[in-house]
Amino acid sequence: MSQPQHLDHHAVYRHLALREFAADVRIGLNLAFYRTFAVPAAARLLLDTGEMTERSAKRTDDTGLMMYEVIAHGPAHPRSRQVISALNRIHRVYDITPDEYRYTLGTFIFIPTRWIDRYGPRRLTADERTATWHFWIEVGKLMNIRDVPVTWAEFEQWFNAYERDNFAYDEAATRLMDATREVLAARFPKALRRWAGAAGDALLDDDVRRALGVPKPSLATRAVVHGALRAGALKRRLRPAAKDIFTPGQPSRHYPGGYTIEQLGPDPVRPVARR
């Protein structure tokens, strides 16, 4: 993508991710993570670490907090560098292929953007897409992700081909979905928790659903969920957010008293064999 000299990529992306499109980016990033379950090798690795099944609440909290630290501060900030250094140290013990790294990076760029274009209060502008691109490409460079296609169109073409070639069902995906559904349900009001799984499944597109072995929710469920999403988009268009959704060090479900960056991530990191 072109790179206008006047554009502060981090400032633009920070605003859309933490304020104007905060709800959409959060859902998009969650869906990006679920998408990796649809790649059998990635699903087996995630299962074998034990983080998603044995410590799912902490794993979910830590992933989100680390990601939002970088979004809030920008890749060059010392807190972001501390987070990225921790992520590199965590991932170094696992046998992750360059294509798997590139694919995961692509999910952070394309999946939230597609979600915004479908369910956001408006579509992203060219500058916002450019800012999204450059923000995540810079993060990828700091995580030593190499040979990323040099334009949005080329990377998206590679990304789509990777999914066509690699999406498939594996039992590991079912176990990961079962574990993370409990975390998702806990985010819903108590009166709605019995429907949380079906509502979450309705957010998945058909290709991902098939690869995850998730049955297609009923037409009524999909209609209610999609109607609620569009109503939420209209509400955000009429009443834009007045403040950021994230404050560094803020309390969370796993850290009710707040957190330090040193607390985030598995301790200890448990190496696993590739299978």
Side-chain angles (χ1 to χ4, degrees), residues 198-216:
D201 292 346
L203 304 183
L204 304 173
D205 62 55
D206 288 340
D207 289 342
V208 174
R209 202 180 289 125
R210 283 191 291 269
L212 298 180
V214 172
K216 193 169 188 174

Side-chain angles (χ1 to χ4, degrees), residues 7-172:
L7 190 63
D8 183 336
H9 299 124
H10 172 242
V12 172
Y13 184 72
R14 186 187 192 283
H15 175 78
L16 68 89
L18 297 190
R19 187 169 296 192
E20 185 176 359
F21 294 94
D24 304 289
V25 171
R26 175 173 281 173
I27 293 174
L29 290 173
N30 274 277
L31 292 176
F33 184 62
Y34 277 114
R35 219 167 179 91
T36 63
F37 297 178
V39 179
R44 290 192 293 268
L45 177 62
L46 286 166
L47 179 65
D48 288 348
T49 67
E51 291 296 310
M52 295 304 304
T53 52
E54 299 168 23
R55 294 172 289 278
S56 55
K58 183 179 189 301
R59 172 63 158 79
T60 302
D61 245 13
D62 288 358
T63 299
L65 293 171
M66 294 173 99
M67 189 170 290
Y68 275 92
E69 281 281 346
V70 180
I71 293 172
H73 292 105
H77 192 278
R79 283 180 71 93
S80 298
R81 293 299 179 97
Q82 187 179 356
V83 167
I84 292 170
S85 176
L87 289 170
N88 286 337
R89 184 174 63 253
I90 291 166
H91 290 103
R92 194 175 295 129
V93 305
Y94 302 124
D95 183 17
I96 302 172
T97 70
D99 277 351
E100 288 167 349
Y101 275 118
R102 276 189 290 273
Y103 174 68
T104 302
L105 179 66
T107 65
F108 300 148
I109 297 171
F110 302 122
I111 303 309
T113 300
R114 293 172 184 175
W115 180 270
I116 289 170
D117 285 348
R118 185 175 184 184
Y119 292 116
R122 60 174 176 81
R123 293 174 67 88
L124 293 182
T125 67
D127 279 355
E128 288 164 341
R129 288 169 71 90
T130 297
T132 299
W133 169 264
H134 285 287
F135 175 86
W136 285 111
I137 291 299
E138 181 61 25
V139 172
K141 289 178 182 176
L142 293 172
M143 295 193 68
N144 302 309
I145 300 176
R146 307 300 183 194
D147 300 322
V148 176
V150 297
T151 68
W152 183 294
E154 290 171 340
F155 195 9
E156 191 166 26
Q157 183 180 26
W158 179 92
F159 180 87
N160 292 338
Y162 183 88
E163 291 193 336
R164 286 194 302 270
D165 293 342
N166 291 278
F167 272 11
Y169 174 72
D170 190 277
E171 183 184 355

Side-chain angles (χ1 to χ4, degrees), residues 181-199 253:
R181 274 199 186 95
E182 295 177 6
V183 175
L184 177 65
R187 298 177 185 272
F188 282 70
K190 287 184 178 180
L192 300 178
R193 285 180 187 172
R194 62 181 293 185
W195 295 288
R253 289 175 178 81

